């Protein structure tokens, strides 16, 4: 009886503790989200989308430069990263399969996915920025491409493996060459999955700050020339938030809000795709 | 003709896949090459010296290494029990109605960029630490706590996934024998999911040690080893983020590159351990 009682008491203690820790965890996280929404909505205004950066104290400063810079840096990274990632993933799933080479590449990209992004920044600095002599939007895009590549590669690999092999066999039986089978049958079957991988990859790199600090650097004004230093939402956010000026900090919160809404939307869309796929 | 295209397509995919390998090799080679000046000039002293004074051309990385280790240790100390609690709550305790929304919001919070955790830390958390523990609020302690909050959603989500893989029939058998919920968790669920849980913790450890923006805001970048946790400190990524664009001599640059490769080696080692010992890939067959 005492033993049973002890077990019941232990059970109750653990249940209470785990509920408390869930409340603590969720409390912290909603605190952060709440801060983000309150400050973000407060700082949002139409001029944020139409005005460039301005010195502190100046009215009418905005984030147009950072929004456009962000869009260009992430866009170029996506344009490079997606085809490379998909083709490499295609090799792993369709040609390499369980060979030693394919397994090694899978391991390497799994490890690379968790490599500190600031180190990727240092690498791109020394192979792109230093030889060019100055920071540039290109360098920022290349850093983001390197971070995105393993994510797209691994999701493509996984998603292509989900395509039933009977589909491939049917196409082969009709006499189609392998590349046609892959492009017209396998890719089509895995379309939604690959798209999900791309969305999650873009969402992941869109929030990167550290590798941009010394690749694309920053610019307080609008610049659309990729071979020059370029503003991004994340670096702008970092600079504005650590500045002592209240109006800059406010802009920093607006940038934080816009960026996190963008990233959360991509994540939600990606998740909806995955859920549909599972049905 | 189709034979040729077929071969070209096959070779192209293979070439790109293999280039991932060369990319990683290239990153190591370039960083090592850039560190050569500092490795030759400072040797092993780089890792054991405590003085970091760029104006005197003195570069000792020990304070940054110390800061990385201590802040990561603090973060793990706080986040591990919380993550286990959250995971137990989500996987075994919460009613279905709460489970999905809470689970999804935790996963979404893991996607929020670390620069935002840093901003929140600087504006909302630093003042609280200052009021409670004294000092200026920008400190090793603050960095550890902010870091723990940052890795918590990731750890909780992965741990929950690992716990969810426990077959229901095992749990039902244990309940049928009269086990309490805690008995089932401790004797069935945790042992069954052990490898996955440990793997997720090590993976989170790897993230924490390379995490840059969340801590850059709240750590202070002061190259001093202090046992006082409320004193400002620095870590390897914080040093890199703050000083990379300021380096003005070759030796300064080279030391920063040596810090980068040090960080890369540490994090690759940690992640490899997690991958190869604990998280064997789930094959889709």
């Amino acid at each position: 009886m005492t033993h049973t009682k002890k077990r019941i008491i232990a059970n109750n203690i653990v249940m209470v503790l785990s509920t408390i820790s869930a409340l603590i965890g969720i409390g912290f996280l909603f605190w952060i989200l709440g801060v983000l929404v309150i400050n973000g909505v407060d700082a949002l205004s139409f001029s944020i989308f139409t005005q460039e950066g301005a010195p502190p104290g100046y009215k009418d400063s905005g984030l147009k430069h950072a929004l456009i810079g962000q869009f260009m840096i992430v866009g170029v990274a996506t344009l490079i990263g997606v085809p490379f990632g998909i083709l490499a993933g295609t090799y792993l799933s369709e040609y390499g399969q369980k060979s030693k080479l394919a397994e090694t590449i899978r391991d390497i990209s799994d490890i690379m996915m968790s490599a500190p992004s600031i180190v990727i920044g240092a690498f791109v600095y020394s192979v792109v920025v230093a030889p060019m002599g100055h920071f540039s939007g290109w360098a920022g895009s290349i850093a983001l491409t390197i971070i995105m590549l393993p994510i797209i590669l691994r999701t493509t690999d996984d998603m292509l493996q989900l395509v039933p092999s009977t589909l491939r066999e049917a196409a082969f039986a009709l006499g189609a060459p392998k590349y046609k089978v892959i492009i017209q049958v396998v890719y089509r079957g895995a379309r939604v999955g690959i798209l999900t991988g791309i969305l999650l990859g873009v969402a992941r790199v869109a929030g990167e700050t550290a590798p941009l600090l010394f690749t694309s650097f920053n610019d307080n004004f609008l610049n659309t020339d990729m071979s020059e230093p370029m503003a991004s939402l994340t670096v702008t956010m970092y600079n504005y938030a650590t500045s002592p000026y209240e109006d800059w900090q406010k802009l920093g919160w607006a940038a934080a809000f816009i960026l996190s809404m963008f990233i959360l939307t991509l994540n939600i869309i990606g998740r909806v795709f995955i859920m549909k796929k599972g049905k | 003709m189709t034979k040729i295209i077929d071969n070209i397509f096959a070779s192209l995919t293979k070439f790109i896949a293999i280039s991932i390998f060369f990319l990683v090799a290239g990153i190591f080679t370039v960083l090592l090459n850039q560190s050569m000046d500092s490795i030759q000039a400072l040797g092993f002293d780089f890792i054991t010296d405590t003085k970091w004074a760029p104006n005197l051309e003195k570069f000792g990385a020990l304070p940054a290494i110390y800061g990385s280790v201590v802040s990561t240790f603090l973060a793990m100390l706080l986040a591990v029990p919380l993550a286990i609690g959250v995971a137990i709550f989500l996987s075994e305790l919460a009613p279905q109605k709460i489970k999905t929304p809470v689970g999804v919001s935790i996963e979404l919070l893991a996607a929020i960029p670390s620069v935002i955790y840093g901003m929140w830390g600087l504006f909302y958390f630093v003042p609280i630490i200052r009021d409670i523990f004294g000092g200026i609020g920008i400190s090793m302690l603050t960095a550890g706590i902010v870091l723990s909050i940052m890795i918590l959603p990731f750890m909780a989500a992965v741990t929950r996934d690992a716990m969810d893989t426990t077959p229901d029939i095992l749990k039902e058998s244990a309940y049928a024998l009269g086990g309490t919920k805690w008995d089932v968790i401790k004797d069935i669920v945790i042992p069954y999911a052990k490898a996955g849980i440990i793997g997720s913790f090590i993976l989170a450890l790897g993230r924490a040690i390379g995490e840059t923006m969340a801590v850059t805001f709240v750590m202070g970048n002061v190259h001093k080893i202090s046992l006082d946790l409320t004193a400002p400190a620095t870590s390897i990524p914080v040093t890199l983020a703050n000083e990379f664009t300021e380096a003005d001599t070759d030796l300064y640059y080279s030391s920063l590159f040596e810090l980068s490769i040090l960080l890369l080696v540490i994090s690759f080692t940690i992640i490899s351990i997690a991958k190869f010992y604990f998280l064997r890939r789930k094959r889709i067959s």
Side-chain angles (χ1 to χ4, degrees):
Chain A
M1 193 60 198
T2 41
H3 182 62
T4 313
K5 232 180 204 153
K6 261 190 203 157
R7 281 172 48 219
I8 292 175
I9 293 172
N11 180 59
N12 292 342
I13 293 174
V14 172
M15 293 308 118
V16 170
L17 284 181
S18 81
T19 311
I20 291 175
S21 57
L23 287 176
I24 294 176
I26 292 162
F28 261 116
L29 302 169
F30 279 96
W31 181 12
I32 295 167
L33 217 56
V35 159
L36 199 58
V37 171
I38 290 167
N39 284 303
V41 171
D42 185 44
L44 274 188
S45 67
F46 189 65
S47 62
I48 278 182
F49 298 97
T50 56
Q51 299 295 321
E52 298 173 27
Y58 216 78
K59 259 193 221 161
D60 275 350
S61 61
L63 294 167
K64 187 175 143 195
H65 61 299
L67 285 163
I68 292 176
Q70 176 88 14
F71 179 76
M72 290 179 73
I73 293 170
V74 174
V76 169
T78 311
L79 286 181
I80 312 173
V82 165
F84 276 81
I86 290 181
L87 286 173
T90 305
Y91 173 76
L92 295 186
S93 162
E94 304 298 310
Y95 296 98
Q97 289 166 5
K98 292 196 173 132
S99 67
K100 194 120 205 179
L101 176 65
E103 287 294 326
T104 313
I105 292 171
R106 279 189 191 106
D107 287 335
I108 291 174
S109 46
D110 278 355
I111 293 175
M112 230 182 112
M113 234 187 276
S114 312
S117 58
I118 194 158
V119 174
I120 309 287
F123 166 71
V124 174
Y125 177 89
S126 52
V127 295
V128 183
V129 177
M132 274 173 76
H134 55 86
F135 301 108
S136 68
W138 292 121
S141 292
I142 291 169
L144 296 189
T145 303
I146 296 175
I147 296 167
M148 189 193 288
L149 200 57
I151 302 172
I152 296 186
L153 179 154
R154 292 290 285 125
T155 36
T156 306
D157 179 22
D158 285 347
M159 294 303 162
L160 294 188
Q161 286 183 39
L162 284 177
V163 176
S165 50
T166 46
L167 269 182
R168 297 187 183 87
E169 283 154 16
F172 278 130
L174 293 171
K178 192 160 186 172
Y179 81 94
K180 269 204 172 144
V181 174
I182 293 173
I183 293 174
Q184 295 184 349
V185 178
V186 181
Y187 281 169
R188 197 163 292 176
R191 205 168 38 193
V192 176
I194 295 176
L195 190 62
T196 308
I198 296 172
L199 287 180
L200 295 180
V202 173
R204 165 74 205 280
V205 300
E208 283 292 349
T209 316
L212 297 181
L213 287 175
F214 27 87
T215 51
S216 58
F217 200 57
N218 201 8
D219 189 333
N220 211 7
F221 301 100
L222 182 62
N223 164 43
T224 50
D225 181 359
M226 290 287 287
S227 57
E228 291 293 322
M230 199 173 236
S232 58
L233 273 178
T234 50
V235 177
T236 303
M237 199 187 304
Y238 173 58
N239 288 341
Y240 280 6
T242 48
S243 80
Y245 314 109
E246 220 165 273
D247 46 346
W248 272 15
Q249 291 173 5
K250 216 175 153 188
L251 277 178
W253 284 112
F257 180 72
I258 296 170
L259 184 71
S260 35
M261 287 308 123
F262 174 72
I263 290 174
L264 290 182
T265 310
L266 284 188
N267 268 286
I268 290 168
I269 298 175
R271 255 156 238 279
V272 171
F273 277 163
I274 292 178
M275 278 200 296
K276 272 199 186 145
K277 184 108 184 113
K279 270 177 196 163
Chain B
M1 189 60 195
T2 46
K3 188 104 192 128
I4 298 175
I5 302 178
D6 221 19
N7 283 335
I8 291 176
F9 188 75
S11 323
L12 180 71
T13 59
K14 188 173 186 178
F15 174 76
I16 293 174
I18 292 176
S19 64
I20 302 281
F21 174 76
F22 285 103
L23 181 64
V24 175
I27 293 174
F28 268 102
T29 317
V30 166
L31 292 181
L32 191 64
N33 193 27
Q34 298 278 8
S35 317
M36 270 311 164
D37 276 354
S38 130
I39 293 173
Q40 275 163 1
L42 307 167
F44 207 67
D45 288 349
F46 181 75
I47 299 177
T48 54
D49 232 330
T50 58
K51 198 172 168 74
W52 181 276
N55 53 337
L56 304 171
E57 294 268 284
K58 288 272 274 175
F59 299 99
L62 197 59
I65 298 171
Y66 173 82
S68 286
V69 172
V70 174
S71 61
T72 306
F73 178 76
L74 268 176
M76 294 301 287
L77 200 66
L78 297 168
V80 163
L82 276 179
I84 295 179
V86 175
I88 289 180
F89 178 80
L90 284 177
S91 147
E92 308 295 327
L93 209 59
Q96 201 62 40
K97 262 188 194 159
I98 307 181
K99 207 177 198 168
T100 317
V102 173
V104 169
S105 48
I106 289 209
E107 277 171 32
L108 287 180
L109 285 158
I112 287 187
S114 77
V115 62
I116 289 172
Y117 283 91
M119 263 174 91
W120 164 81
L122 179 63
F123 287 108
Y124 291 86
F125 205 64
V126 162
I128 293 177
I129 295 288
R130 184 169 49 212
D131 290 346
I132 299 178
F133 297 96
I136 54 167
I138 289 180
S139 66
M140 182 79 94
L141 181 67
T142 321
I145 299 176
V146 170
L147 210 46
S148 74
I149 294 160
M150 223 212 112
I151 57 174
L152 175 65
F154 171 76
M155 282 167 93
V158 182
T159 303
R160 182 218 37 204
D161 288 347
M163 286 182 172
D164 276 348
T165 59
T166 317
D168 282 339
I169 193 150
L170 283 183
K171 291 197 265 181
E172 282 157 15
S173 319
Y175 281 124
L177 290 173
T180 62
K181 221 160 211 177
W182 171 235
D183 289 334
V184 175
I185 292 167
K186 127 180 100 91
D187 295 329
I188 309 289
V189 176
I190 292 182
Y192 188 87
K194 198 168 72 186
I197 296 175
I198 298 175
S200 87
F201 289 170
I202 299 179
L203 221 51
L205 176 77
R207 285 194 169 197
I209 211 149
E211 182 45 54
T212 310
M213 301 319 292
V215 284
T216 300
F217 280 91
V218 298
M219 206 158 188
N221 199 29
V222 173
H223 289 267
K224 233 181 218 158
I225 295 183
S226 167
L227 293 178
D228 177 8
L229 289 180
T230 59
T234 195
S235 73
I236 298 176
V238 169
T239 306
L240 289 171
N242 276 304
E243 299 181 30
F244 207 90
T245 47
E246 283 173 12
D248 45 8
T249 65
D250 287 345
L251 191 59
Y252 196 174
Y253 255 123
S254 190
S255 329
L256 290 174
F257 276 112
E258 197 175 344
L259 277 184
S260 332
I261 198 158
L262 210 61
L263 180 62
L264 191 62
V265 170
I266 294 172
S267 91
F268 268 34
T269 313
I270 293 174
I271 300 158
S272 311
I273 292 172
K275 280 279 166 211
F276 295 121
Y277 286 94
F278 297 105
L279 302 172
R280 245 149 275 143
R281 241 190 325 265
K282 274 172 258 151
R283 271 275 162 275
I284 300 160
S285 48

